Amino acid sequence: MAGLNGLYDALRMGVSALKTQSRAIETVSRNMANVNNPTYSRQRVVFGNVAPTAGGTAVSVDALQVEQLRDVLLDRQVARERSNDAALAAESAAYDRGETAMGETISSVKNPSSSATGGGNSLANAMSGFFGAARQLATDPTNATQKQMFFQTAKTMAERFQFSHERLSEVQTDLTDQTSKDVDKANLLLSSIKDLNSSIASQESSTGEKALSLRDERQARIEDLALIMNFKSSTLPDRPNQIQITASSSTGVDTVLLSGDTTLNGLSFDGNTVQVGTPSTALNIMGGSIAGNLKARDGALQTLSDNLDQMASQMVTSVNAVYNPAGTAQNFFDPAGTQAGTITLASGLTEANVRASAPSGAAGDGTVAQAISELDTRTFSTGSGDSINGTLGQSYASAISLFSYSVSQTKMQHENQSSVLNAVRGQRDSVSGVSLDEEAAELMKYQRAFQASARILSLIDTVLDTVVSGFGRP
Amino acid sequence: MRVSTDFVTNTAINNLRRLSEQQARLQQNISTGRRLLKPSDDPAAASRVINRQMELERVNNYQSAAAMAKSRSETSLTALTQIQKIASRLGELTSLASSAGPQSMAAYGAEAGQLLEQATNFANSRFGADYIFAGTAVDAQPFTPTRDTSGAIKTVAYVGNSQDATFSMGDGRAIAPSPGAATTNRAIASFLNSIAALRDAMNTGDSAAVKSLDATMGTHEDTFVNAIGTVAAVQTRIDANQAQLIGRADDLGRLISTDTDADMATSMVRLTESQTAYQAALSSTANIFKLSLLDYLK
């Protein structure tokens, strides 16, 4: 009967092979189904030998495990680069909004005299309009229309300063609100990662196999968190299936945000810095949308706002010094409003009483209007106690240019960073990504193996049938 | 390098998106004719454009002021020319009256009286609503006559001031389109009073007084000839300044254009390049996705 034992071993091998190839085909199917899932990491069946049964000699094949093709280092690099990319994307978007808020468009109009009424959209047009109206009033001081224009352009310019300040402030307030929401979202993600740590530990201890889907999901949450802030992730030495997340404090010390499924320190935002734990530790967040938004808010946008304040201060001080040199007559601008947000015409100044000369000046005296118009080309110096350096126009052009430089530089850096991120993603995809052609080839391989095993089973069945059917025949 | 299906798709999408953006940008440049649309497109150029546009605005203001100064100086010139003609005619009358009899002298006196009215009117000439020989006190008639019971001018007082109205013609450059208020306006008043004295001397047949005024009339005429020369010189300055302003405006317009306007030929060539690359990307992507081992599975 030794020969029949061999047949039974072959039958067992065939069955085992069919099960193994089925598992492999199932894995290939799962890979194909997730071909467009960016968080999915391709899987492979690890084949192995099954020891022969007692007395038998055949070594059959078995699916020892399904492994996930994931490179931890590349995963971390992708998270880091996503964090950098998100910071630059947020900063760039904030600057775009700031640029739109300023309304400074570059016109190719060769003769912008139409903006002399201050009707243009930008502050540059409004300032040009104001000084132009002063110049025209100086040449025609008795013209009531010129006085009206002078008054109205001054009002328009003050409103434009206020408008620019308000729009920039709104963008900055929005960025603060967005950071608060990002911190809330980060807390939810940290909580979710902690839950996943717990689920992975539970599932892997009960099944003895890796919880691949849960690990994929945890990696996806980690990468979502990277869009909000930068951090370091590592596996716990004593529990390799558990993740720890730390962030650098403002003093450069790594502070634990999350450790396995036990420790979770919540983040908070006080309007200036992101803090963690109780007592709170300020974090030095250098990546993700939080870093980008705060950098834009406190960086180029604040610098632009400060520059506008300095220009408004210089405008108010200089015009009042010319219009009311002794400080005893009617001021032109309210001396209390020396910032872009507060600049306004002095109380009591009207179209009817605005003057082109000193209070005692003759009707045709346009010396004060002329002196105001000359402020347009006057060079100020902070070294001499002024608020700005250069002329008002140069100061404005410089402020816009400085801000625009930040806009274009950040955009360029973001484009470069996107290329880096795509390259790193490409490297990771070369390990973890699904290739349909590759899976199709694998499918063919497993299909053929399955067919071969099935054919062997069929053959053995035929042989056994021959044996069984042969019994009892006459 | 192993290439995943998702990587191929993402790469194709990224390339198509980048080429699409490039085409949209070039199309916008071509359709607007502009290279710069917002400051961040070229911050350094934007700064230059803002400064130059503000300067262009000033140059336009100076051009308006120059045109107004020119009109005003022409009005001054016309009035001064008329006053100078009157001074010239009065010089002739003075010579004629010196050797004329009482009846003729009275006739000359009547003409001098008319010329006085006429000269007073010219002295009170206006540019728009402003009196041009009033200094900066342009809202009140500068030469105020006092009349006797018959309505004849006895004396003329100058109630304007000595401050010159100036027009800004460029950064740090100003010009007074009327002759100096301190000299010419007061000379006009003196001239008007001299005419009144001459008329009275003629009416009374006072030959000695008429003769004594002959030199005075000559001096007045010289004053007005000089004033006319001054105004003419001012007009020449205004003309030269206007030419300079026009040149500067052209320069600024050209410089702004250099920074802001798109180079159509370059933009068109780049758009064609970009379109070709886009077509190639579409074609290659479609070809890559068309072929798959899955098609050979049975």
Side-chain angles (χ1 to χ4, degrees), chain B residues 164-188:
Chain B
D164 290 323
T166 57
F167 286 64
S168 187
M169 309 286 290
D171 296 345
R173 294 197 304 275
I175 214 163
S178 298
T183 52
T184 309
N185 295 359
R186 294 193 187 282
I188 290 172

Side-chain angles (χ1 to χ4, degrees), chain B residues 182-264:
Chain B
T183 52
T184 309
N185 295 359
R186 294 193 187 282
I188 290 172
S190 172
F191 172 59
L192 295 175
N193 285 314
S194 296
I195 300 174
L198 180 65
R199 177 205 58 198
D200 292 345
M202 286 173 170
N203 284 342
T204 55
D206 185 349
S207 299
V210 170
K211 279 182 185 168
S212 71
L213 284 166
D214 189 25
T216 308
M217 284 300 159
T219 306
H220 283 310
E221 190 179 353
D222 289 346
T223 302
F224 298 134
V225 168
N226 286 340
I228 288 167
T230 303
V231 174
V234 164
Q235 286 200 339
T236 306
R237 266 186 73 194
I238 293 171
D239 288 341
N241 207 74
Q242 277 183 315
Q244 192 182 4
L245 289 170
I246 288 168
R248 183 61 185 153
D250 287 345
D251 284 347
L252 287 168
R254 196 168 51 252
L255 290 168
I256 290 168
S257 172
T258 304
D259 273 331
T260 60
D261 292 353
D263 178 343
M264 283 296 179

Side-chain angles (χ1 to χ4, degrees), chain A residues 42 99 104 106-108 110-112 116 132 135 142 363-364 370 376 404 422 426 430 433-434 436-438, chain B residues 1-2 5 7 14 34 37 39-40 43 53 56-58 60-61 68 130 136 139 168 260-261 292-294 297:
Chain A
R42 72 189 168 108
E99 189 174 37
E104 186 63 58
I106 299 299
S107 165
S108 62
K110 314 295 185 303
N111 183 355
R135 222 168 271 122
T142 55
Q370 179 62 32
D376 189 12
S404 305
N422 286 335
S430 72
V434 174
L436 283 179
D437 289 339
E438 197 176 293
Chain B
M1 178 178 163
R2 185 179 166 276
T5 304
F7 179 72
N14 283 340
R34 286 159 60 189
L37 296 167
S40 59
Q53 284 186 334
L56 186 54
E57 181 72 31
R58 281 200 300 279
N60 286 331
N61 290 153
M68 197 169 169
D130 297 349
T136 56
D139 55 341
S168 187
T260 60
D261 292 353
S292 172
L293 198 54
L294 291 169
L297 279 180

Side-chain angles (χ1 to χ4, degrees), chain A residues 275-292:
Chain A
Q275 296 165 334
V276 62
T278 310
S280 60
T281 303
L283 295 179
N284 181 27
I285 295 181
M286 302 294 286
S289 55
I290 289 178

Side-chain angles (χ1 to χ4, degrees), chain B residues 68-82:
Chain B
M68 197 169 169
K70 182 85 181 287
S71 297
R72 191 163 171 153
S73 71
E74 277 168 0
T75 308
S76 297
L77 192 62
T78 304
L80 281 171
T81 305
Q82 293 304 320

Side-chain angles (χ1 to χ4, degrees), chain A residues 155-408:
Chain A
K155 199 172 166 190
T156 300
M157 182 182 66
E159 286 170 355
R160 186 64 222 184
F161 264 112
Q162 290 175 15
F163 182 72
S164 298
H165 171 83
E166 281 167 22
R167 296 287 292 274
L168 285 177
S169 293
E170 281 168 9
V171 172
Q172 288 178 299
T173 304
D174 288 349
L175 293 175
T176 304
D177 291 346
Q178 184 59 49
T179 303
S180 290
K181 285 176 188 162
D182 283 347
V183 166
D184 291 343
K185 195 174 170 189
N187 280 328
L188 287 174
L189 286 168
L190 285 168
S191 175
S192 170
I193 294 166
K194 175 175 169 279
D195 292 344
L196 284 165
N197 270 343
S198 174
S199 301
I200 289 166
S202 168
Q203 187 172 325
E204 292 187 355
S205 67
S206 63
T207 63
E209 288 193 2
K210 281 190 175 178
L212 300 181
S213 296
L214 291 175
R215 282 174 179 250
D216 276 346
E217 198 177 333
R218 184 176 65 183
Q219 181 60 28
R221 295 291 86 77
I222 287 171
E223 288 179 19
D224 285 346
L225 184 62
L227 291 176
I228 297 173
M229 61 185 288
N230 64 319
F231 53 84
K232 289 179 191 165
S233 68
S234 56
T235 51
L236 290 174
D238 54 336
R239 288 174 290 162
N241 61 2
Q242 299 288 285
I243 291 284
Q244 174 176 274
I245 291 178
T246 61
S248 180
S249 74
S250 55
T251 55
V253 177
D254 282 347
T255 308
V256 174
L257 306 184
L258 163 74
S259 181
D261 57 355
T262 53
T263 309
L264 175 63
N265 293 315
L267 300 172
S268 61
F269 179 56
D270 65 0
N272 290 312
T273 54
V274 176
Q275 296 165 334
V276 62
T278 310
S280 60
T281 303
L283 295 179
N284 181 27
I285 295 181
M286 302 294 286
S289 55
I290 289 178
N293 285 331
L294 291 182
K295 187 179 175 195
R297 185 194 71 171
D298 301 334
L301 284 168
Q302 188 56 45
T303 304
L304 179 60
S305 186
D306 291 344
N307 285 335
L308 289 182
D309 282 345
Q310 285 158 4
M311 285 171 55
S313 172
Q314 191 62 64
M315 182 70 79
V316 169
T317 310
S318 305
V319 172
N320 280 348
V322 169
Y323 196 76
N324 179 22
T328 53
Q330 166 76 51
N331 274 315
F332 193 88
F333 289 110
D334 181 355
T338 55
Q339 291 188 320
T342 56
I343 182 173
T344 182
L345 296 185
S347 169
L349 189 76
T350 64
E351 284 181 355
N353 68 13
V354 70
R355 50 189 165 77
S357 64
S360 58
D365 181 358
T367 48
V368 165
Q370 179 62 32
I372 289 175
S373 76
E374 285 168 2
L375 292 175
D376 189 12
T377 52
R378 183 166 148 195
T379 302
F380 298 96
S381 166
T382 50
S384 307
D386 295 323
S387 302
I388 60 168
N389 284 313
T391 66
L392 282 159
Q394 285 167 349
S395 182
Y396 180 71
S398 169
I400 288 294
S401 176
L402 187 65
F403 179 71
S404 305
Y405 185 73
S406 297
V407 177
S408 65

